[in-house]
Amino acid sequence: MISNRVKRNICLTLSIVSFMCVIGSAIKVFDGTSKWWQLFTITIAFAVIFKLYMAYRKQVKEGNLFGKVDPLKHNSNIN
């Protein structure tokens, strides 16, 4: 079983790489050598990976190293 700390580190690495891809794609779109939808899809991928990173980061800070994590859970602190 892979710990949440390892998953967090993997998601951090992937989010850094995908952020660099967003920057590179944005430059190509503004340069005119790429289409806007490529930038859009790379940005969506970055957002999903970053959301995963933030979910694992929160669980590791709370001490949940091997428990289940639901990254799509919304904050419902209304009470």
Side-chain angles (χ1 to χ4, degrees), residues 11-12 14-15 18 22 40-56 71-72:
C11 288
L12 176 62
L14 289 175
S15 66
S18 64
V22 167
F40 180 72
T41 56
I42 292 172
T43 305
I44 295 297
F46 166 71
V48 168
I49 294 170
F50 190 72
K51 174 75 173 166
L52 288 171
Y53 165 70
M54 293 303 290
Y56 285 120
L72 299 178

Side-chain angles (χ1 to χ4, degrees), residues 4-66:
N4 290 336
R5 183 176 292 160
V6 171
K7 292 176 187 177
R8 177 199 64 186
N9 292 341
I10 290 171
C11 288
L12 176 62
T13 304
L14 289 175
S15 66
I16 291 170
V17 170
S18 64
F19 182 72
M20 294 300 173
C21 291
V22 167
I23 291 173
S25 181
I27 290 171
K28 286 184 179 183
V29 166
F30 293 128
D31 193 21
T33 59
S34 183
K35 302 288 183 186
W36 66 268
W37 57 268
Q38 291 175 338
L39 175 61
F40 180 72
T41 56
I42 292 172
T43 305
I44 295 297
F46 166 71
V48 168
I49 294 170
F50 190 72
K51 174 75 173 166
L52 288 171
Y53 165 70
M54 293 303 290
Y56 285 120
R57 179 177 179 254
K58 180 179 178 183
Q59 290 300 312
V60 169
K61 277 191 167 191
E62 290 177 358
N64 182 9
L65 294 180
F66 288 100

